Amino acid sequence: MFLSVFLVSCGAGFKGQQSSRNYWLPWPDAQGRMSFQWVNISTLNEADKLEGVAARVFWRGGLADGGFTGPVASPRIASSSSGWLPLDANSAQLLSLYAIFERLYFFERDLNLNMSLPWPRQVGAEINLNFKGGQILNNAMYIPSHGVIAITPYTWQNRALTLNHGVIAHEHFHAHFANYLKKAGHERGSFAKASAPRVLAKQVILAAWDEGLADYYAFAFSRRQDFLHLSVPQLKESRRLDGPLYSFINESQLVARFACEDVEQCLLPQRGRDLFYYFGTLMARVLYRWGEELGGGDHHPELLARVMESMPRFMMTFSLNSTTESLAFEDFLIYLLDERKSLALPTTLCLELASFVTSQQRSRLTKTCGL
Amino acid sequence: MRLATIIICLFFCLSNAGYAETQPEVRTSAWRLGLGVDFVSTYEVDQVHVKNYFSYGADLGWHYRSVALIGELRYYELSDAIGDFQTTTEYFHFLLWARYFREAWSPRVMAYAQLGVGQAQYKVKMSLAEENSRLRSDWQFVSGGGIGLTTPLAGGFGIDGGLRLLQLSSQPKPDLGVSLSLIKRL
């Protein structure tokens, strides 16, 4: 009898059809402030297995062609009168990760965006990745070759990346951008392959759009302008979306930066990699200001949806490998304004922006703004 | 810590009622009191990696010939943190074990097999920056099985050690424990 009781008790009460369940998790309120709440998750197939229509969550898995290896994460949970309690920090962070993806799934469904990516998404926490012989820590990245988001171990004392809704949303957007590139026939490739300065410059512009739009997507989803600094405090001022605007770089200046023989040298900080974050943030700040001028709040997701509809079409308008055709950071903004006449850029913002672009772009911009 | 102090005091107070007989404890009917520690191995959230910890407890049992009924209390506390998010989980269980003894290779060493059922509860404390929470789980059904050896020492004391599996209704796989208890015949 004891044996049968023992066997029957194994896993009792966890299986069954997908249903709505509450989990006690650290979660943001409407203002983005974190507190402990009962968080409803409605798309998990089983209460203790992080697999559903929104995501498949892994923990410390390896990477193979099809994505992460190893079993889907099973959080340690116990029932309580109001829902399920995670029994350790790992279980809570993994449940939170799934819940964020479920919110992203609904967010995109409500904006009619989620048809472009395959769901469920794959995400792994505490994934061990190495770069140049060292372990990557405190980082999250979308890996286009595998179509997954990998979050590396977090060793700082700030907000874990797995609990940071903005960071997860930011990485998720990169999947969209990779999809746009693929559909437009662009090969992002490595910077090292881009031998011509003009091609390398275009790669940096592309990366800046990717980072900038990812930041704006993250804001529109998480409603926090400073989502990144919660986990990475050193980026508090440089990446916040409500920071000041500054000048876009002149295309010839950008090309000049890449007129070097050693591509690795070109990609030194402030010459390459940091540039696309620098101009990406500028792009995100323009969109943020634009959304605020439209009225803020739900205008941001609406603006984001229009941006995400226009970007794939814009991708078709240029060739990445052309050494004669020019491309500039602000080209997409002008294209967006041209295509979306209903989303008029407010005059004050248009004039402010015009002061930061080259004279050639200034006339295009003011004309597009109807000034 | 307070719980451990109370259990240790209780153990030594009651042990004064014992008698010195270096005989296998199960040869006569008797009460026993035990203090034990378990080295427990459980699966992490990927069901691949293993997490180990110690649990502590006390038991009170009654032997009659080759069988015994033992009531056991167990406790552990585990803390964990990722960035500014911390959890501390306290665990309590009460199990009733039914144990069957057979003489092993020596008359002084008895082998046993046991099955148990009981209830367990978790108390989960969480903190994130300046936010704190503390919640209790429902009582969970817990069952277990195990094998072990016991042998008497001087002064009515004895040693009891073994392997056991504990399955909580809330967990997908059982925990494996290596237990060691100091027991006292009363």
Side-chain angles (χ1 to χ4, degrees):
Chain A
M1 185 194 79
F2 282 126
L3 186 61
S4 61
V5 169
F6 176 73
L7 293 173
V8 166
S9 72
C10 295
F14 283 76
K15 311 285 186 239
Q17 296 297 309
Q18 175 180 306
S19 59
S20 188
R21 302 178 182 94
N22 290 328
Y23 295 84
W24 186 247
L25 296 172
W27 198 255
D29 58 20
Q31 285 73 44
R33 183 176 164 275
M34 294 288 266
S35 62
F36 291 101
Q37 299 177 33
W38 288 110
V39 177
N40 184 267
I41 299 180
S42 61
T43 60
L44 280 176
N45 300 328
E46 296 173 27
D48 63 343
K49 199 168 181 188
L50 296 180
E51 184 171 31
V53 295
R56 300 182 75 219
V57 179
F58 295 82
W59 187 72
R60 292 189 181 174
L63 265 176
D65 287 345
F68 291 108
T69 58
V72 168
S74 293
R76 295 174 67 81
I77 51 174
S79 63
S80 77
S81 53
S82 304
W84 297 94
L85 290 179
L87 299 178
D88 53 51
N90 280 324
S91 297
Q93 70 159 337
L94 296 172
L95 278 161
S96 172
L97 202 48
Y98 184 89
I100 293 170
F101 270 92
E102 186 181 270
R103 297 304 189 270
L104 283 168
Y105 177 78
F106 292 136
F107 178 73
E108 295 196 353
R109 188 190 63 181
D110 293 346
L111 292 174
N112 292 318
L113 297 174
N114 67 346
M115 299 311 289
S116 58
L117 283 182
W119 295 81
R121 310 301 302 156
Q122 280 199 48
V123 57
E126 299 196 13
I127 302 297
N128 287 317
L129 297 175
N130 294 296
F131 182 70
K132 292 187 176 176
Q135 189 186 6
I136 304 174
L137 296 172
N138 308 313
N139 211 334
M141 62 204 70
Y142 173 69
I143 304 175
S145 55
H146 295 74
V148 302
I149 291 174
I151 302 163
T152 64
Y154 189 77
T155 58
W156 294 333
Q157 298 304 308
N158 305 298
R159 186 64 35 81
L161 296 167
T162 44
L163 302 178
N164 190 321
H165 293 223
V167 167
I168 303 303
H170 173 104
E171 296 306 326
H172 174 67
F173 177 82
H174 289 320
H176 281 290
F177 200 84
N179 208 26
Y180 302 155
L181 290 172
K182 193 176 166 188
K183 283 184 175 171
H186 296 310
E187 191 189 350
R188 175 85 163 262
S190 70
F191 288 106
K193 285 182 185 168
S195 51
R198 181 162 254 175
V199 175
L200 187 54
K202 284 182 186 170
Q203 294 277 16
V204 169
I205 290 169
L206 216 57
W209 289 335
D210 193 0
E211 293 301 333
L213 295 183
D215 276 358
Y216 186 62
Y217 181 102
F219 163 72
F221 176 73
S222 70
R223 302 296 171 96
R224 282 201 70 134
Q225 303 92 333
D226 60 346
F227 69 91
L228 203 54
H229 110 262
L230 294 171
S231 301
V232 192
Q234 57 268 39
L235 297 178
K236 181 178 180 180
E237 295 307 323
S238 62
R239 295 283 295 274
R240 60 181 307 130
L241 270 66
D242 52 357
L245 303 184
Y246 39 81
S247 293
F248 283 99
I249 196 169
N250 181 299
E251 187 194 334
S252 59
Q253 291 173 321
L254 186 62
V255 169
R257 281 177 185 251
F258 299 115
C260 51
E261 288 183 9
D262 183 352
V263 172
E264 281 297 312
Q265 285 296 311
C266 286
L267 296 178
L268 283 174
Q270 296 307 322
R271 295 193 75 179
R273 284 200 179 90
D274 280 7
L275 274 177
F276 57 71
Y277 285 116
Y278 184 75
F279 291 108
T281 299
L282 179 54
M283 167 78 82
R285 286 178 178 178
V286 170
L287 291 172
Y288 170 75
R289 287 276 299 276
W290 193 348
E292 286 295 296
E293 299 274 359
L294 290 172
D298 290 338
H299 290 280
H300 286 291
E302 287 169 21
L303 176 61
L304 174 75
R306 302 295 86 76
V307 168
M308 290 178 70
E309 284 166 8
S310 293
M311 182 50 105
R313 282 193 286 276
F314 176 63
M315 290 277 189
M316 305 285 188
T317 65
F318 60 89
S319 163
L320 204 56
N321 294 317
S322 166
T323 53
T324 53
E325 195 180 328
S326 69
L327 193 65
F329 286 107
E330 56 272 39
D331 279 354
F332 174 61
L333 285 174
I334 293 169
Y335 177 88
L336 182 65
L337 283 166
D338 251 346
E339 193 185 67
R340 301 277 166 183
K341 304 278 187 216
S342 59
L343 281 176
L345 195 63
T347 306
T348 49
L349 181 57
C350 191
L351 288 172
E352 187 178 353
L353 199 56
S355 68
F356 290 125
V357 298
T358 58
S359 54
Q360 186 191 4
Q361 297 289 65
R362 189 175 302 132
S363 59
R364 282 181 66 200
L365 185 65
T366 49
K367 187 180 165 196
T368 312
C369 288
L371 299 175
Chain B
M1 192 64 201
R2 193 170 49 192
L3 178 67
T5 309
I6 292 168
I7 290 169
I8 290 166
C9 287
L10 187 65
F11 179 81
F12 283 105
C13 291
L14 289 174
S15 69
N16 289 329
Y19 56 92
E21 186 185 348
T22 314
Q23 288 293 317
E25 58 175 310
V26 296
R27 292 304 176 113
T28 57
S29 70
W31 287 88
R32 64 163 255 172
L33 190 66
L35 276 181
V37 59
D38 277 19
F39 181 72
V40 182
S41 191
T42 190
Y43 283 104
E44 280 273 26
V45 293
D46 58 353
Q47 302 298 307
V48 175
H49 291 81
V50 166
K51 178 160 66 181
N52 299 313
Y53 58 89
F54 288 98
S55 75
Y56 306 93
D59 63 70
L60 181 65
W62 181 70
H63 292 269
Y64 181 73
R65 297 182 186 276
S66 58
V67 295
L69 270 179
I70 299 169
E72 175 195 76
L73 285 168
R74 269 286 190 278
Y75 170 86
Y76 69 73
E77 182 180 301
L78 288 177
S79 293
D80 207 356
I82 302 164
D84 62 355
F85 175 57
Q86 297 177 330
T87 60
T88 298
T89 303
E90 291 176 68
Y91 167 91
F92 306 88
H93 83 209
F94 172 77
L95 250 92
L96 191 63
W97 292 100
R99 189 178 276 193
Y100 177 72
F101 292 89
R102 290 292 296 271
E103 188 177 294
W105 55 85
S106 148
R108 286 179 48 78
V109 180
M110 302 296 288
Y112 65 83
Q114 62 179 358
L115 288 171
V117 291
Q119 293 277 292
Q121 190 181 52
Y122 294 98
K123 190 162 78 177
V124 183
K125 287 183 275 186
M126 292 185 185
S127 68
L128 180 83
E130 285 150 23
E131 292 287 323
N132 292 288
S133 86
R134 183 183 294 222
L135 287 176
R136 284 176 193 274
S137 75
D138 295 335
W139 285 98
Q140 321 275 310
F141 182 76
V142 57
S143 55
I147 53 171
L149 296 169
T150 180
T151 188
L153 303 170
F157 285 92
I159 289 285
D160 184 331
L163 286 172
R164 57 190 191 171
L165 285 171
L166 279 184
Q167 177 68 54
L168 272 93
S169 57
S170 63
Q171 302 308 320
K173 291 181 182 173
D175 295 343
L176 175 66
V178 179
S179 62
L180 185 66
S181 294
L182 180 65
I183 55 174
K184 178 73 177 96
R185 280 168 50 164
L186 306 179

